[in-house]
Amino acid sequence: MTASAVPSAPVVTRFAPSPTGYLHLGHAHSALAGWRAARSTGGRFLLRIEDIDPQRCRPEFDAAIREDLAWLGLDWDGPVRRQSEHPDDYRAALERLRALGVLYPCFCSRKEIQEEIARAGHAPHLTPATAGAGPGPEGPLYPGTCRRLAPDDAQARLADGQPHAWRLDIARALDLTGPLCWHDRACGMQTAVPGILGDVVLARRDAPGSYHLCVTLDDHLQGVTLITRGVDLFEATHVHRLLQALLGLAVPEYHHHGLLTNAAGERLSKRDGAKALRALRAEGLAPAAVRALAGFPD
């Protein structure tokens, strides 16, 4: 057998949509990428419902996700994991991070953060680097206002029941972990630069964990060995690698695939009205035709 003919080791992949709307072709592309990676190696394909946000998630979209995937011809292994059913997992992870001293409470509202960023940008003695509010891939970074609070002040605000989130102190966390790296099948070995997203939020008052915390912990608990997801989440992986190191989690391999776009070159999204899979089905398209439109012809 030649080297090119040696089969890949079985992988465990997952598709993890949020039930905030109906699946569209971009979702189909991501699901098919993970499903084929698993099935082509004799591995496992998992389905996870990321419904940690009670304000935006709906049970009818949860049911539609499973129906649309089955119509496309995709099957999954084992039970479906729903984040809303595992809040204790995320709270336990937060406690571990808190014990490490890498979390701090943030009492800033969105408006206050925007105002602080604007002030930093107009102050002649502050640069983005020294202000902590430099530009990131998703816009200006959190300026670190509450990171600079005196411990007694922060505790007093917590005791008063002031609304707050919990942020990850990136600099302090990196002091504990040292340099980190991760491998992407499309881009090769990557050096982790978690500061690219600033001190991200890991939990809010109305949710036991944010996307960054929940997805990283879930992938470990489910034994995922290959994470297939869109290139729009590439920067998030830098933060996820840091969380893996802090929490002692397994480090999977990654494959950040390209995104499907519309006629204007913009990525397909629910908020921009991308046509739902069930709308294509209603128009009479067969599953094979939709799989082809999603970039995976039979």
Side-chain angles (χ1 to χ4, degrees):
M1 181 182 292
T2 64
S4 60
V6 176
S8 300
V11 300
V12 180
T13 66
R14 51 47 166 195
F15 179 54
S18 296
T20 57
Y22 294 118
L23 298 184
H24 54 65
L25 284 174
H27 296 116
H29 179 83
S30 187
L32 283 160
W35 183 82
R36 289 201 172 184
R39 295 295 180 249
S40 66
T41 62
R44 302 176 69 233
F45 177 69
L46 310 177
L47 176 60
R48 181 166 73 232
I49 302 297
E50 299 194 341
D51 60 348
I52 201 68
D53 185 347
Q55 304 302 318
R56 299 176 62 231
C57 297
R58 299 288 184 271
E60 60 267 29
F61 296 138
D62 184 327
I65 286 169
R66 290 174 281 122
E67 180 184 322
D68 287 344
L69 291 178
W71 178 79
L72 270 180
L74 304 188
D75 59 342
W76 52 89
D77 301 295
V80 176
R81 179 179 172 93
R82 289 179 175 78
Q83 290 181 335
S84 61
E85 298 173 353
H86 303 279
D88 290 345
D89 290 341
Y90 312 127
R91 293 191 183 101
L94 279 173
E95 285 303 318
R96 291 173 63 186
L97 294 172
R98 193 173 289 112
L100 290 173
V102 296
L103 293 185
Y104 63 89
C106 176
F107 305 93
C108 300
S109 67
R110 286 189 175 91
K111 181 180 179 180
E112 289 169 337
I113 293 173
Q114 292 170 351
E115 291 173 347
E116 178 64 21
I117 289 171
R119 284 194 296 270
H122 288 91
H125 63 289
L126 290 177
T127 65
T130 57
E138 299 177 355
L141 304 183
Y142 175 67
T145 307
C146 290
R147 185 179 61 239
R148 298 187 288 271
L149 285 176
D152 289 347
D153 187 3
Q155 287 301 318
R157 294 191 184 193
L158 290 174
D160 286 342
Q162 292 187 22
H164 62 280
W166 288 96
R167 289 186 181 272
L168 177 64
D169 188 328
I170 296 291
R172 183 171 295 183
L174 283 172
D175 284 342
L176 295 179
T177 66
L180 301 167
C181 61
W182 50 277
H183 184 263
D184 183 88
R185 288 192 173 185
C187 303
M189 191 61 67
Q190 302 292 307
T191 298
V193 189
I196 195 170
L197 295 182
D199 287 358
V200 296
V201 170
L202 294 188
R204 290 185 170 86
R205 195 173 191 179
D206 61 346
S210 70
Y211 166 77
H212 296 296
L213 178 68
C214 296
V215 71
T216 305
L217 186 62
D218 286 343
D219 286 330
H220 170 77
L221 294 176
Q222 291 190 282
V224 175
T225 62
L226 173 64
I227 296 175
T228 55
R229 61 189 181 196
V231 70
D232 56 324
L233 291 170
F234 189 92
E235 285 82 6
T237 307
H238 293 279
V239 175
H240 300 176
R241 181 65 189 92
L242 179 60
L243 289 172
Q244 290 161 358
L246 291 169
L247 294 169
L249 309 182
V251 182
E253 190 177 18
Y254 292 84
H255 182 195
H256 292 91
H257 56 72
L259 304 176
L260 295 189
T261 58
N262 58 23
E266 302 164 332
R267 75 181 182 93
L268 300 180
S269 67
K270 298 174 186 175
R271 70 181 62 182
D272 293 328
K275 186 173 287 189
L277 298 184
R278 56 190 43 231
L280 297 173
R281 182 171 62 195
E283 292 173 3
L285 273 69
V290 174
R291 290 195 296 269
L293 287 174
F296 287 88
D298 293 341

